[in-house]
Structures are given as structure tokens and as C-alpha cells.
Amino acid sequence: MILFLRQLWGELVKMSARKRTYVGFGAFLGLEAGLVWILNTPPARRHFQRLIESGGFDFTDYWSMLSLSFLIISWTVFLLGGIYLALVMGDIVAKETEEGSFRLLMSRPVSRLRILALKFCAGTIYTFALIFFIGLTSLAAGALNRGWGGGMFIWAPEQGVFEMYPFADGLLRYLGGLPLLALSTLTTASVAFMFSCFKIKPATAAIMAVTVSIVDMILLALPFATGYKEFSLLNHMAVYAKFFANPIPWAQLVKDYTFLLGVDATCFIIGWLAFQSRDFKS
Amino acid sequence: MVEIDAISKTFTKERKAVDAVSFTVRKGEIFGLLGHNGAGKSTLLGCMLGMVYPDQGEVRIDGISVQQERNRALRKVGAIFEAPAFYDYLSGWQNLKILAALSGFTDRTEISRVVDLVNLTERIKHPVGTYSHGMRQRLALAQALLPSPEVLLLDEPTDGLDPEGIREFRDFVLRLRDERGMTILFNSHLLAEVELLCDRVAIIKRGRLLYTGDGADLRQQSQRFSFVVDDWTRLLAVAEPLGGRPDGESHLHLPLNLDVAEVVAAAVQAGVRVREVHRHKETLEDLYLKVSA
């Protein structure tokens, strides 16, 4: 176990030393700043004012740091998170194969399964780190814009969530939801990881992973494809918002996250089988 | 120490990359694997490291099958590839630590010792991206030596090195064999290097093994001399009845039991003016061309 952790540390060192790892973090900050600006435009404010006041609540109390943070994190992850994780995870195996550094790894007495397990674990840690980064910076953006405190207003129409919370409860829900959001986005990362294990270019792996997400989104939006909803990754990933419902539908959350973890495991196994059957020649 | 047993591999339907190749590398010897680009050397090396799955056959290292127990077999093996791709954005030290950890090895003292051995101490904390080709090869050697292998597999290790670097590398490899008794398989298309380093060679062409041995058996089939004479036709008329065989317009192959002095004496007696006679030492290149023709 200690050896595995040491090897994992090496994998994390490799990952964190790449410029691409950080460039994305900067892009997320930029997007968050843009969203703060958009949410403060008069049309956006009017829209949310109508929503909050339709529930019989005071707009000035609930148009607060936590409400903004929730909107920022949701849109940031939806707009950029998937693409960015697909890029990083699409690279994780395919890039090393392309560059040739995989030959050095594979000349060591270590199994292919272990190498992939190390990479998948590193990718998982990275996904969680990225989501926590987005979560905390969104929180900071909300606090800088609206000041510390205030109630939390949650509106997720697709998940049927419309709730108001006092500050302390809202903050707990917001922070508690971050691991769940990370778990949701891990599925996008897993799909990209799977493609990365095939004999394809890193960019192709990333494009294929993004394509899966886009096709999934389109199918989910088709009014006549209602039966597809049950299989849609995006639909299951969006269950994160249900953590903000009152009371929390734990059974639903467990069901959806079990489905997603099953998809993650399947992606890993398919990737491993593809990788295991490959010849690596200079 | 390394047994290649009837290895075959096909990547495309048109032709086999390696076709039933068998040979053995003995413990403590430097063995050269010779062949032009695309001959199948790297495929064979891939099979030895379990990176390429052979269609048939098996590689055994110290009796352990790479195909059946890869991890156990490779514990005794270090490998260097042509143009090794390190993580350029990490330091040499970080690269070594990551690679050594994959072999279950994390002793910093031993890593430092190997870094000293390959003469990289001063630059080891610098990013590999700033290294020269020679330094990258030394780093490659360092990673192959962690942790203390008994067998070294070298794939075109001197490619791209300057003459000084090549000599340094050669001396180092010889020292490894002499001081540590390492078994070394040297995969190259540079005949001169193989000739200077290797105890025995295998020659492969289009995936097929054409020759294995130290070359002496082929070299000893005849002796070759170059002659500078005033009348080549008259020299041939004298030499051929004695068993000489012409090779071009100035060389003669003579049977091993024929003394060149007899040919010279006969030529002088026949009135041929013999100005110079040189014995031509057959090189590995001659051997390679002869075998692969």
C-alpha cells in the first residue's frame, strides 16, 4: 500500500508539473469573473428577483453570496468543467504513449493494470481538486460581490429543486455538495480516460469524450426520447442539485451515484482491456 | 541468461516482423543484435520486455518466462531505448525517483550513487528539457541501472551521440560487464560499435535470424589479400592453380592452408613485379554483408 502511495505521488508530481494543469485553473477564474458580471446585469437581476419574490421571500436577503456562488459553480462546471476534464484525462494515457515516455514505465517490473490504476487514481484526485478549487473560488467570488452572509436561494428546475436556506444551513449544503459534484464530473473524466487507453491521439480521445457529452445532452433534450433519460449520464450527473432539496432524497442520490460509479468502473475496465491488448513498439 | 525461443510476431498480413527467431545470450557476455532499420530488432526487444506480445514463442530471463511472469522476469532487467522520452518538465532526479518507485525501489542513497556513476550529479536537479542528447543518454543509463539489474537491454543507445559520447558510453558498458558481470544485449545498426563491444552477434534481416556467433567461423573460411602488381592477369594465372580466387581487380582470396609467400614466390618466378601485398582483415561489416546478401 505504501509503495502504491509512493507511485501515486510520482503520478501526481508528473501531472501537477504540466503547464496545462494550471492553465485551466486560470480559465476557470476568468469564467467565474464573467459570470459574476453577467449575473449583475439588470436583466439577470430582474429575472432572479421575480423568482425569489414569487416564493414570498425578500430579494435583498436571498440575492446573496451563497446564491451567486451556487449559480457560478453550476454554470462553470457545466460550461467548462467537462471540456477541461476531457482534455486532461484524454491526455493522461494517450499523451504519454504518443511521447514515448510510456516505454520507460513499461520496461519496469510493473503491470499495465497497476500503471492504469495509478493514472486513474491521480485523475480522480485531480477531478476532486479541480471541483474544490472551482467551489471555493466561486464562494470567494460570491463573497467579494455580495459580501459575507445572507440567505441561500436554490433553483434547479430540471431537478425540481426550489429552496431557500439561512446562511449557516446554506453554507453547509454548499460545501457538502462539492464532493458530490466532483463525483458527478468524475464520470466525464472516466469516459475521457477510457478513450485515452485506446490506440488514438490524445486530442482524439478528448474530442470523443466531449462528443459523448454533447450527444448525451442532445438526446436528453429531444422531447420524444423520454426513455433515454434513464440512461443519460448528464441526467444522473445533475442529481447533485438534489442535495439542496429539503429533505434530501438520499435514496435517489444513492441510486444515481451508484449508476455513475458503475459507469466509471465500466470505463476503467474497457480502457484497461483495450490497453492490455496493445503492443507497444518504438 | 536470456533465451529467445522461436519468437514470431506479425503486425501486418504482408510480412512477419519477427519470424521464429531463437538465440541465447550467455551470462556475462555482451551480445550484439545487428540488423538494418526495420529488421525486427526493436520488435524483438519489445517481446523481451513484455511490451509486444509475440504470436508464438517465449523469452526467458534467467529461466523465468517474460510472457508468463513478466514482473518477476523483469526484476533483473534494465532497458534503454533509442531516444528515451523522459518527462522534460521534471528534473532528472524526479524522473529517476518516479521510475525507480515503479520497480518498488525508493532508496535515495542508491539513486545518488547511480547518478554519480553516470556523472550527472551537477545537473540532476535541472529539468530534463535542458539536457543535451548525451546527458539524456546518461540519464537513461541511470534509470536502467536502478535497481542493480543483471541484464541490460540497450536499444540503439549510441544513436545521435558525438564520437566522444560514444566512446564514453562504450567504456561504461564494458566496465559494467567487467566489474559487475552484467549480461548486455546491444541492439544496433552501427557495425563498428558492435564490433568494438560485443563478444557475439546475431544478425537479423526482415525478421529472420541469419547468423549467430562470434564471426570467427565465417571469417576463417578464407584469407583475403590486396596486391599491387604490374600485371594482374599474369598474377591470376599463377594464383588460380594454387587455389586463389579473385575478388575485384586487386584482391585475392586464398585458402587457409595456402601461405601467401608461396603465391608471391610463384608470381615473381613468372616475372610479375610484386610491389605491395596487404592482408585484409575481415570486419564485421564484411561479415554482415556476406551473411545478409
Side-chain angles (χ1 to χ4, degrees):
Chain A
M1 187 61 190
I2 290 172
L3 184 62
F4 185 85
L5 292 175
R6 280 190 172 148
Q7 292 168 342
L8 180 60
W9 179 251
E11 203 56 50
L12 290 170
V13 167
K14 273 195 293 186
M15 197 177 222
S16 58
R18 294 187 95 118
K19 270 185 192 155
R20 176 175 282 193
T21 311
Y22 297 109
V23 171
F25 283 79
F28 282 108
L29 285 177
L31 180 61
E32 286 167 12
L35 286 170
V36 169
W37 178 79
I38 289 170
L39 288 169
N40 277 294
T41 56
R45 283 174 70 98
R46 277 199 298 275
H47 173 74
F48 286 107
Q49 187 167 6
R50 267 201 308 275
L51 271 172
I52 292 169
E53 288 176 352
S54 71
F57 296 92
D58 182 10
F59 176 67
T60 49
D61 282 350
Y62 285 93
W63 188 239
S64 64
M65 113 185 212
L66 286 175
S67 303
L68 241 68
S69 301
F70 177 76
L71 290 169
I72 293 169
I73 190 175
S74 304
W75 289 1
T76 304
V77 172
F78 177 75
L79 291 172
L80 202 56
I83 295 171
Y84 189 64
L85 278 173
L87 274 175
V88 172
M89 291 298 270
D91 263 13
I92 202 163
V93 176
K95 188 79 175 173
E96 279 211 44
T97 311
E98 188 184 58
E99 286 174 349
S101 49
F102 234 109
R103 286 187 302 161
L104 281 174
L105 303 188
M106 292 194 32
S107 67
R108 322 296 301 187
V110 60
S111 68
R112 296 184 185 197
L113 176 61
R114 194 178 180 102
I115 293 176
L116 288 190
L118 288 166
K119 291 195 172 294
F120 191 79
C121 287
T124 303
I125 292 170
Y126 181 77
T127 304
F128 273 75
L130 180 71
I131 295 301
F132 276 82
F133 171 82
I134 299 171
L136 295 177
T137 49
S138 297
L139 199 62
L144 283 172
N145 189 247
R146 306 300 310 157
W148 188 260
M152 185 185 200
F153 146 71
I154 298 286
W155 179 59
E158 291 296 321
Q159 300 299 315
V161 179
F162 185 89
E163 299 290 347
M164 304 286 176
Y165 292 106
F167 179 72
D169 287 354
L171 188 60
L172 269 179
R173 294 257 179 169
Y174 181 86
L175 295 174
L178 291 181
L180 293 181
L181 183 59
L183 216 51
S184 288
T185 49
L186 182 62
T187 301
T188 307
S190 302
V191 172
F193 177 86
M194 176 184 74
F195 286 122
S196 188
C197 294
F198 292 142
K199 199 175 177 180
I200 52 179
K201 298 261 179 204
T204 314
I207 289 167
M208 287 175 84
V210 172
T211 306
V212 167
S213 298
I214 292 171
V215 170
D216 185 35
M217 208 185 304
I218 292 168
L219 287 174
L220 191 62
L222 291 177
F224 49 84
T226 46
Y228 174 73
K229 201 171 178 183
E230 199 56 32
F231 304 101
S232 162
L233 296 181
L234 202 64
N235 180 49
H236 290 283
M237 285 157 73
V239 80
Y240 148 76
K242 281 208 159 79
F243 183 69
F244 293 89
N246 199 12
I248 299 171
W250 287 111
Q252 180 70 43
L253 285 173
V254 169
K255 188 182 156 208
D256 282 292
Y257 279 112
T258 305
F259 176 89
L260 290 176
L261 287 172
V263 171
D264 298 347
T266 307
C267 286
F268 179 82
I269 291 167
I270 293 172
W272 169 54
L273 289 175
F275 190 75
Q276 188 69 28
S277 63
R278 285 174 64 181
D279 285 317
F280 287 87
K281 193 175 159 284
S282 55
Chain B
M1 189 69 185
V2 181
E3 297 161 80
I4 312 292
D5 187 4
I7 289 285
S8 290
K9 177 70 187 177
T10 308
F11 290 110
T12 57
K13 283 179 186 169
E14 293 81 49
R15 152 174 111 76
K16 283 188 172 179
V18 177
D19 189 1
V21 170
S22 297
F23 61 84
T24 302
V25 183
R26 296 170 197 146
K27 196 173 173 66
E29 80 173 345
I30 302 181
F31 189 92
L33 188 56
L34 266 177
H36 57 77
N37 292 330
K41 304 187 302 289
S42 294
T43 302
L44 213 47
L45 196 85
C47 292
M48 290 180 211
L49 290 166
M51 288 158 60
V52 173
Y53 299 115
D55 301 329
Q56 281 171 18
E58 191 176 54
V59 177
R60 288 181 293 275
I61 295 173
D62 206 13
I64 304 164
S65 166
V66 173
Q67 279 63 43
Q68 287 170 26
E69 293 181 84
R70 181 184 175 275
N71 292 358
R72 202 156 79 87
L74 291 192
R75 269 183 215 147
K76 297 174 178 175
V77 177
I80 298 181
F81 299 97
E82 182 186 6
F86 287 101
Y87 306 106
D88 283 357
Y89 46 90
L90 298 179
S91 68
W93 180 261
Q94 285 172 312
N95 270 279
L96 289 182
K97 268 185 75 180
I98 288 169
L99 291 168
L102 283 176
S103 301
F105 180 80
T106 51
D107 183 357
R108 293 171 65 94
T109 322
E110 178 62 12
I111 298 176
S112 297
R113 200 186 59 75
V114 169
V115 169
D116 278 345
L117 196 69
V118 298
N119 203 14
L120 260 183
T121 312
E122 271 182 36
R123 295 290 305 276
I124 198 65
K125 296 288 166 84
H126 293 225
V128 175
T130 64
Y131 285 16
S132 67
H133 186 72
M135 287 167 71
R136 293 174 82 93
Q137 285 302 95
R138 277 187 271 155
L139 186 65
L141 199 51
Q143 66 79 28
L145 293 175
L146 288 169
S148 307
E150 290 175 30
V151 178
L152 261 188
L153 304 178
L154 311 177
D155 186 14
E156 308 275 7
T158 53
D159 243 25
L161 290 181
D162 57 29
E164 199 182 333
I166 291 175
R167 199 170 71 178
E168 199 179 298
F169 194 88
R170 190 196 310 139
D171 292 346
F172 192 80
V173 167
L174 286 169
R175 245 176 41 225
L176 287 175
R177 193 267 307 268
D178 297 342
E179 291 172 11
R180 297 189 184 192
M182 266 188 204
T183 305
I184 296 165
L185 189 137
F186 188 83
N187 179 359
S188 179
H189 64 272
L190 300 174
L191 296 162
E193 271 315 296
V194 173
E195 183 154 41
L196 282 167
L197 263 177
C198 299
D199 304 313
R200 289 195 307 138
V201 295
I203 297 174
I204 59 172
K205 187 179 181 183
R206 296 186 176 204
R208 292 173 64 187
L209 184 70
L210 300 179
Y211 174 79
T212 320
D214 60 5
D217 47 346
L218 287 178
R219 284 174 189 153
Q220 295 301 315
Q221 283 173 0
S222 65
Q223 43 186 342
R224 187 164 173 251
F225 294 90
S226 65
F227 287 80
V228 180
V229 294
D230 64 342
D231 190 340
W232 176 248
T233 317
R234 259 200 298 162
L235 175 68
L236 279 186
V238 171
E240 278 178 333
L242 293 171
R245 189 163 46 83
D247 177 5
E249 296 232 331
S250 61
H251 288 82
L252 272 179
H253 283 280
L254 303 180
L256 289 172
N257 57 1
L258 177 63
D259 191 340
V260 68
E262 285 181 43
V263 179
V264 173
V268 170
Q269 210 169 18
V272 179
R273 293 175 72 90
V274 181
R275 295 197 177 92
E276 284 177 35
V277 180
H278 296 282
R279 188 189 185 99
H280 183 82
K281 186 176 173 286
E282 200 167 20
T283 63
L284 190 59
E285 187 175 346
D286 299 321
L287 174 67
Y288 177 77
L289 291 173
K290 193 189 292 179
V291 168
S292 63

